[in-house]
Coordinates of all heavy atoms in Angstrom, one line a residue:
M1 N 24.6 50.4 12.5 CA 23.5 50.1 11.6 C 24.0 49.3 10.4 O 23.3 48.4 9.9 CB 22.9 51.4 11.1 CG 21.7 51.3 10.2 SD 20.4 50.5 11.2 CE 19.1 50.5 10.0
G2 N 25.2 49.6 9.9 CA 25.8 48.9 8.8 C 26.0 47.4 9.1 O 25.9 46.5 8.3
T3 N 26.4 47.1 10.4 CA 26.6 45.7 10.8 C 25.3 44.9 10.7 O 25.3 43.8 10.3 CB 27.2 45.7 12.2 OG1 28.3 46.5 12.3 CG2 27.4 44.3 12.7
V4 N 24.2 45.5 11.1 CA 22.9 44.9 11.0 C 22.5 44.6 9.6 O 22.1 43.5 9.3 CB 21.8 45.7 11.7 CG1 20.5 45.1 11.5 CG2 22.1 45.9 13.2
I5 N 22.8 45.5 8.7 CA 22.4 45.3 7.3 C 23.3 44.1 6.7 O 22.8 43.3 6.0 CB 22.6 46.6 6.5 CG1 21.6 47.6 6.9 CG2 22.5 46.3 5.0 CD1 21.8 49.0 6.4
V6 N 24.6 44.1 7.0 CA 25.4 43.1 6.5 C 25.0 41.7 7.1 O 25.0 40.7 6.3 CB 26.9 43.4 6.8 CG1 27.8 42.2 6.6 CG2 27.4 44.6 6.1
C7 N 24.7 41.7 8.3 CA 24.2 40.4 8.9 C 23.0 39.9 8.3 O 22.8 38.7 8.0 CB 24.0 40.6 10.4 SG 25.6 40.7 11.3
V8 N 22.0 40.8 8.0 CA 20.8 40.4 7.4 C 21.0 39.9 6.0 O 20.5 38.8 5.6 CB 19.8 41.6 7.4 CG1 18.6 41.3 6.5 CG2 19.3 41.9 8.8
L9 N 21.9 40.5 5.2 CA 22.2 40.0 3.9 C 22.9 38.7 4.0 O 22.6 37.8 3.2 CB 23.1 41.1 3.2 CG 22.4 42.4 2.7 CD1 23.5 43.3 2.2 CD2 21.4 42.1 1.7
L10 N 23.8 38.5 4.9 CA 24.5 37.2 5.0 C 23.6 36.1 5.4 O 23.7 35.0 4.8 CB 25.6 37.4 6.1 CG 26.5 36.2 6.3 CD1 27.3 35.9 5.0 CD2 27.5 36.4 7.4
V11 N 22.7 36.3 6.3 CA 21.7 35.3 6.7 C 20.8 35.0 5.5 O 20.5 33.8 5.2 CB 20.8 35.8 7.9 CG1 19.6 34.9 8.1 CG2 21.7 35.8 9.1
G12 N 20.4 36.0 4.7 CA 19.6 35.7 3.5 C 20.3 34.9 2.5 O 19.8 33.9 1.9
V13 N 21.6 35.2 2.2 CA 22.4 34.4 1.3 C 22.6 32.9 1.7 O 22.4 32.0 1.0 CB 23.8 35.1 1.0 CG1 24.7 34.2 0.3 CG2 23.6 36.4 0.3
V14 N 22.9 32.8 3.0 CA 23.0 31.4 3.6 C 21.7 30.7 3.5 O 21.7 29.5 3.1 CB 23.5 31.5 5.0 CG1 23.5 30.1 5.7 CG2 24.9 32.0 5.1
G15 N 20.6 31.3 3.7 CA 19.3 30.7 3.6 C 19.0 30.2 2.2 O 18.5 29.1 1.9
L16 N 19.4 31.1 1.2 CA 19.2 30.7 -0.2 C 20.0 29.5 -0.6 O 19.6 28.7 -1.4 CB 19.5 31.9 -1.1 CG 18.4 33.0 -1.1 CD1 18.9 34.2 -1.9 CD2 17.1 32.6 -1.6
V17 N 21.3 29.5 -0.1 CA 22.2 28.4 -0.4 C 21.6 27.1 0.1 O 21.6 26.0 -0.5 CB 23.6 28.6 0.1 CG1 24.5 27.4 0.1 CG2 24.2 29.8 -0.7
I18 N 21.2 27.1 1.4 CA 20.6 25.9 2.0 C 19.3 25.5 1.3 O 19.1 24.3 1.0 CB 20.3 26.1 3.5 CG1 21.6 26.3 4.3 CG2 19.5 25.0 4.1 CD1 21.5 26.7 5.7
R19 N 18.5 26.4 0.9 CA 17.3 26.1 0.1 C 17.6 25.4 -1.2 O 17.0 24.4 -1.6 CB 16.5 27.4 -0.1 CG 15.2 27.1 -0.8 CD 14.4 28.4 -0.9 NE 14.0 28.6 -2.3 CZ 13.5 29.7 -2.8 NH1 13.5 30.8 -2.1 NH2 13.2 29.7 -4.0
S20 N 18.6 25.9 -1.9 CA 19.1 25.4 -3.1 C 19.6 23.9 -3.0 O 19.3 23.1 -3.8 CB 20.1 26.2 -3.7 OG 20.7 25.7 -4.9
M21 N 20.4 23.7 -1.9 CA 20.9 22.4 -1.6 C 19.8 21.4 -1.3 O 19.8 20.2 -1.8 CB 21.9 22.4 -0.5 CG 23.1 23.1 -0.8 SD 24.2 23.4 0.6 CE 24.6 21.8 1.1
V22 N 18.8 21.8 -0.6 CA 17.6 20.9 -0.3 C 16.8 20.6 -1.5 O 16.5 19.5 -1.8 CB 16.7 21.5 0.8 CG1 15.4 20.8 1.0 CG2 17.5 21.6 2.1
K23 N 16.6 21.6 -2.3 CA 15.9 21.5 -3.6 C 16.6 20.5 -4.5 O 16.0 19.6 -5.1 CB 15.7 22.8 -4.3 CG 14.8 22.8 -5.4 CD 14.6 24.2 -6.0 CE 13.8 24.2 -7.2 NZ 13.6 25.6 -7.7
D24 N 17.9 20.6 -4.6 CA 18.7 19.7 -5.5 C 18.7 18.3 -5.0 O 18.6 17.4 -5.7 CB 20.2 20.2 -5.6 CG 20.4 21.4 -6.5 OD1 19.4 21.7 -7.2 OD2 21.5 22.0 -6.4
K25 N 18.8 18.1 -3.7 CA 18.7 16.8 -3.1 C 17.4 16.1 -3.4 O 17.4 14.9 -3.7 CB 18.9 16.9 -1.6 CG 19.1 15.6 -0.9 CD 20.4 15.0 -1.2 CE 20.6 13.8 -0.3 NZ 21.9 13.2 -0.6
K26 N 16.3 16.9 -3.3 CA 15.0 16.3 -3.6 C 14.8 16.0 -5.1 O 14.1 15.1 -5.4 CB 13.9 17.3 -3.2 CG 13.7 17.4 -1.7 CD 12.6 18.3 -1.3 CE 12.4 18.4 0.2 NZ 11.3 19.3 0.5
A27 N 15.6 16.7 -5.9 CA 15.5 16.4 -7.3 C 16.5 15.3 -7.8 O 16.6 15.0 -9.0 CB 15.8 17.7 -8.1
G28 N 17.2 14.7 -6.8 CA 18.1 13.6 -7.1 C 19.5 14.0 -7.5 O 20.2 13.3 -8.1
K29 N 19.8 15.3 -7.1 CA 21.2 15.8 -7.4 C 21.9 15.9 -6.1 O 21.3 16.3 -5.1 CB 21.1 17.1 -8.1 CG 20.5 17.0 -9.5 CD 20.4 18.4 -10.1 CE 19.7 18.4 -11.4 NZ 19.5 19.8 -11.9
S30 N 23.2 15.7 -6.1 CA 23.9 15.9 -4.8 C 25.4 16.1 -5.2 O 25.9 15.5 -6.1 CB 23.9 14.6 -4.0 OG 24.7 14.7 -2.9
L31 N 26.0 17.0 -4.5 CA 27.4 17.3 -4.8 C 28.3 16.1 -4.5 O 29.3 15.9 -5.1 CB 27.9 18.5 -3.9 CG 27.4 19.8 -4.2 CD1 27.9 20.9 -3.2 CD2 27.8 20.2 -5.6
Q32 N 27.9 15.3 -3.5 CA 28.6 14.1 -3.2 C 28.6 13.0 -4.3 O 29.5 12.2 -4.4 CB 28.1 13.5 -1.9 CG 28.2 14.4 -0.7 CD 27.5 13.9 0.5 OE1 26.6 13.0 0.4 NE2 27.8 14.4 1.7
C33 N 27.6 13.1 -5.1 CA 27.4 12.1 -6.1 C 27.8 12.6 -7.5 O 27.4 12.1 -8.5 CB 26.0 11.6 -6.2 SG 25.4 10.8 -4.7
G34 N 28.4 13.8 -7.5 CA 28.7 14.4 -8.8 C 27.5 14.9 -9.5 O 27.4 14.9 -10.7
Q35 N 26.5 15.4 -8.8 CA 25.3 15.9 -9.3 C 24.4 14.9 -10.0 O 23.5 15.2 -10.7 CB 25.5 17.1 -10.2 CG 26.2 18.3 -9.6 CD 25.2 19.0 -8.7 OE1 24.0 19.0 -8.9 NE2 25.7 19.6 -7.7
N36 N 24.6 13.6 -9.7 CA 23.8 12.5 -10.3 C 23.7 11.3 -9.4 O 24.4 10.4 -9.5 CB 24.4 12.1 -11.7 CG 23.5 11.3 -12.5 OD1 22.4 11.0 -12.1 ND2 23.9 11.0 -13.7
C37 N 22.7 11.4 -8.5 CA 22.5 10.3 -7.5 C 22.0 9.0 -8.2 O 22.1 8.0 -7.6 CB 21.5 10.7 -6.4 SG 22.2 11.9 -5.3
K38 N 21.5 9.1 -9.4 CA 21.0 7.9 -10.1 C 22.1 6.9 -10.3 O 21.8 5.7 -10.4 CB 20.3 8.3 -11.4 CG 19.1 9.1 -11.2 CD 18.5 9.5 -12.5 CE 17.4 10.5 -12.3 NZ 16.9 11.0 -13.6
H39 N 23.3 7.3 -10.5 CA 24.4 6.4 -10.8 C 25.4 6.2 -9.7 O 26.4 5.5 -9.9 CB 25.2 7.0 -12.0 CG 24.3 7.0 -13.3 ND1 23.4 8.0 -13.5 CD2 24.2 6.2 -14.3 CE1 22.8 7.8 -14.7 NE2 23.3 6.7 -15.2
C40 N 25.1 6.6 -8.5 CA 26.1 6.4 -7.4 C 25.9 5.2 -6.6 O 26.7 4.8 -5.8 CB 26.1 7.7 -6.5 SG 24.9 7.6 -5.2
C41 N 24.8 4.5 -6.8 CA 24.5 3.2 -6.1 C 24.5 3.4 -4.6 O 24.6 2.4 -3.9 CB 25.6 2.1 -6.5 SG 25.7 1.8 -8.2
G42 N 24.2 4.6 -4.1 CA 24.0 4.8 -2.7 C 25.3 4.9 -1.9 O 25.2 5.0 -0.7
H43 N 26.4 4.9 -2.5 CA 27.7 5.0 -1.8 C 27.8 6.3 -1.0 O 28.4 6.4 0.1 CB 28.9 4.8 -2.7 CG 28.9 3.5 -3.4 ND1 29.2 2.4 -2.7 CD2 28.8 3.2 -4.7 CE1 29.1 1.4 -3.5 NE2 28.9 1.8 -4.7
C44 N 27.3 7.4 -1.5 CA 27.5 8.7 -0.9 C 26.5 8.9 0.3 O 26.6 9.8 1.0 CB 27.4 9.8 -1.9 SG 25.8 10.0 -2.6
H45 N 25.5 8.0 0.4 CA 24.5 8.1 1.4 C 24.7 7.2 2.6 O 23.9 7.1 3.5 CB 23.1 7.8 0.9 CG 22.8 8.8 -0.2 ND1 22.5 10.1 0.0 CD2 22.7 8.6 -1.6 CE1 22.2 10.7 -1.2 NE2 22.4 9.8 -2.1
E46 N 25.9 6.4 2.6 CA 26.2 5.5 3.7 C 26.5 6.3 5.0 O 27.0 7.3 4.9 CB 27.4 4.6 3.3 CG 27.1 3.7 2.2 CD 28.3 2.9 1.8 OE1 29.4 3.1 2.4 OE2 28.2 2.0 0.9
E47 N 26.1 5.7 6.1 CA 26.4 6.3 7.4 C 27.9 6.2 7.6 O 28.5 5.2 7.3 CB 25.7 5.5 8.5 CG 24.2 5.7 8.4 CD 23.7 7.1 8.7 OE1 24.3 7.7 9.6 OE2 22.7 7.5 8.1
R48 N 28.4 7.3 8.2 CA 29.9 7.3 8.5 C 30.1 7.1 9.9 O 29.4 7.5 10.8 CB 30.5 8.6 8.0 CG 30.3 8.7 6.5 CD 30.9 10.0 6.0 NE 30.4 10.3 4.7 CZ 31.0 10.0 3.5 NH1 32.1 9.3 3.6 NH2 30.5 10.3 2.4

């Protein structure tokens, strides 16, 4: 039973992190651009 509770909590935390990253990306912030995509000139969005 403890394993199930830990797994549910872990999935919830990962979901919140992903949601936060998506929200920041839509707001023009990105870890790749130093939290400021307005000044990166699109370098961090190039296809690799």
Side-chain angles (χ1 to χ4, degrees):
M1 187 64 177
T3 303
V4 173
I5 293 171
V6 170
C7 286
V8 169
L9 289 174
L10 185 60
V11 168
V13 169
V14 170
L16 289 174
V17 169
I18 291 172
R19 183 177 130 195
S20 175
M21 290 171 65
V22 169
K23 188 176 177 182
D24 284 348
K25 187 74 169 177
K26 287 182 180 181
K29 298 177 184 175
S30 173
L31 290 176
Q32 297 170 343
C33 300
Q35 294 288 330
N36 193 356
C37 286
K38 293 176 185 174
H39 294 81
C40 83
C41 302
H43 298 292
C44 63
H45 300 288
E46 293 177 356
E47 294 292 323
R48 297 179 199 267

